[in-house]
Each structure stands twice: as structure tokens, then as C-alpha cells.
Amino acid sequence: MQSLDVFMSRLLPLVPGCPYPTAEQALLDSAIEFCEETQAVQVVTDPVALYPDQQTYTITLPLNTEIARVIKIWSGTRLLTQVEPVLVDTPLVYNNPTGTEYAATGNPRIASVVEDGTVTLYPTPNIAAASAEMLTVKVAIKPTRSATQVSDSLYTTWAEAIVAGAAFRLAGIPGTAFSDSALTTESHSRFRYFINRARIEANRGRLVGPAAVRMKPFA
């Protein structure tokens, strides 16, 4: 993880007179938007043990991050079908999305994930599934609103993007010593350029973060 401070030597010369806390907030907002739009920072969680008759599990994310998008969910080597969270609380899950009915317990086939990393499986694992399979999730992540650090790759690979996103926000604040309409336009254009480039790379399967983050499985 990298402190927001590492971006300051690039950002502050563009917006002379900008207060440090204001610059930090702009950098964080830029990083969050970049991650939400590009899914450029992806991690695969460590396998989590399944338990008989336990339907809900919590995956562990890197510190000060949350889910931008769930990409894939596996039970063992089987790719699960993702559905909206409400569907695992209603009978609709029996026939959604393929029209196939499943027993109430067995090998999980369907999953939903909410932003805090709670995963709900259907069917609920039975003894056989719990002894043979583990839960793994691939997610795109973003910083939380309270983060003071961001993923390494946002600095090592996308520093120019994060700085451009912060610069256009700051330069667009009216009535300040660092207001600059030309910089706003130029920086916004650069920010969108990097977003489009990162989207292409993410779609091609390139992970700008580590392919897997090693975390402790929870009990």
C-alpha cells in the first residue's frame, strides 16, 4: 500500500497554494473514481472453508478497501452464477437464472456478494460439499472513503492518472488561488484518457495489482 503523500510532489506544483488536506481528499476521490470505472485493481481472495448448513460467508479484503465489482466466484473449481442479493432470500433463486431447480443443500451453484464482502451461497453447502470445496472470489477493489493509503499499483502504474484526476477537481474549485480553467480541461482530458486505457487493459485480463493477495482464511 502507498500513502497519498507519494502523489504530492506531482500534484502540488500544478495547484500552488492548495491546502494539503484538500489535495489529499482530491487524490482519494480520484483514486476511488478511477478504480470504480476501470476495475484496474483486482485481487483473488484466499480460499475460505465451507461448513455444512452455513449459507453466508465473509471474504477478507485488503485493508482500507472495498468491493468495486465482483468478477468471479468459485466453489472449488466450479464457477458460480452471480445473482442479485435479494434473489437468495426468495424462492426466485430456485429457477434463476437458468431455470434449473436445485436442492436446498448440496454443491453451491449460485452466489451473491454485497459490498462489505458477505457472500451468500445457494444451495447451502452440505457435508460432502463442505469437505471437498472452498470458496474463492475475484474482485475489483477501490479505496474506502476513510483510506489514507491506496494500492501500490495506483502509484507504480497509474500515478499520472490519479494526479490528473485530482488536478482537474482542484483546479475546478472556483474562487481559489489555484483555480485554473485551462488546467481543469487539460487534466480532465488526461484523466479520461487513462481511464479508457486502463479499461482496455483490465478487459484483456491484465491485473495491475498482484494476481492474488495472500490472506488468512477465516474460521
Side-chain angles (χ1 to χ4, degrees), residues 2-14 20 23-24 27-28 30-31 148-164 166:
Q2 294 285 340
S3 168
L4 293 171
D5 293 343
V6 299
F7 297 94
M8 289 299 181
S9 62
R10 289 176 168 84
L11 177 61
L12 292 180
L14 301 175
Y20 207 89
E24 281 187 319
L27 285 165
L28 181 58
S30 175
T148 57
Q149 296 181 318
V150 296
S151 299
D152 289 337
S153 61
L154 292 182
Y155 178 69
T156 58
T157 306
W158 300 112
E160 289 184 72
I162 304 308
V163 169

Side-chain angles (χ1 to χ4, degrees), residues 171-209:
I173 300 174
T176 67
F178 45 90
S179 300
D180 186 333
S181 59
L183 178 61
T184 300
T185 301
E186 177 188 354
S187 297
H188 186 261
S189 177
R190 284 177 57 78
F191 186 54
R192 299 312 306 179
Y193 162 77
F194 285 119
I195 283 176
N196 290 334
R197 199 176 90 184
R199 280 175 176 164
I200 292 170
E201 294 187 3
N203 288 337
R204 288 175 177 168
R206 176 188 175 195
L207 303 188
V208 299

Side-chain angles (χ1 to χ4, degrees), residues 70-129:
V70 179
I71 300 170
K72 292 182 180 180
I73 310 169
W74 297 270
S75 181
T77 59
R78 184 175 55 260
L79 184 64
L80 304 186
T81 299
Q82 293 185 55
V83 300
E84 293 296 323
V86 66
L87 294 179
V88 293
D89 295 324
T90 72
L92 292 178
V93 77
Y94 283 86
N95 297 298
N96 187 75
T98 63
T100 303
E101 290 192 11
Y102 300 120
T105 62
N107 294 318
R109 303 284 178 176
I110 293 171
S112 72
V113 185
V114 295
E115 191 173 83
D116 68 355
T118 300
V119 183
T120 304
L121 302 177
Y122 192 89
T124 302
N126 59 14
I127 293 175

Side-chain angles (χ1 to χ4, degrees), residues 3-73:
S3 168
L4 293 171
D5 293 343
V6 299
F7 297 94
M8 289 299 181
S9 62
R10 289 176 168 84
L11 177 61
L12 292 180
L14 301 175
V15 285
C18 177
Y20 207 89
T22 305
E24 281 187 319
Q25 186 60 60
L27 285 165
L28 181 58
D29 290 344
S30 175
I32 291 172
E33 181 179 355
F34 183 81
C35 290
E36 288 176 338
E37 293 209 30
T38 66
Q39 298 155 35
V41 183
Q42 301 176 11
V43 297
V44 178
T45 63
D46 269 358
V48 170
L50 301 183
Y51 294 93
D53 301 321
Q54 180 174 322
Q55 187 178 30
T56 302
Y57 300 83
T58 301
I59 58 172
T60 303
L61 300 173
L63 188 65
N64 294 322
T65 69
E66 58 190 7
I67 295 172
R69 183 192 169 201
V70 179
I71 300 170
K72 292 182 180 180
I73 310 169

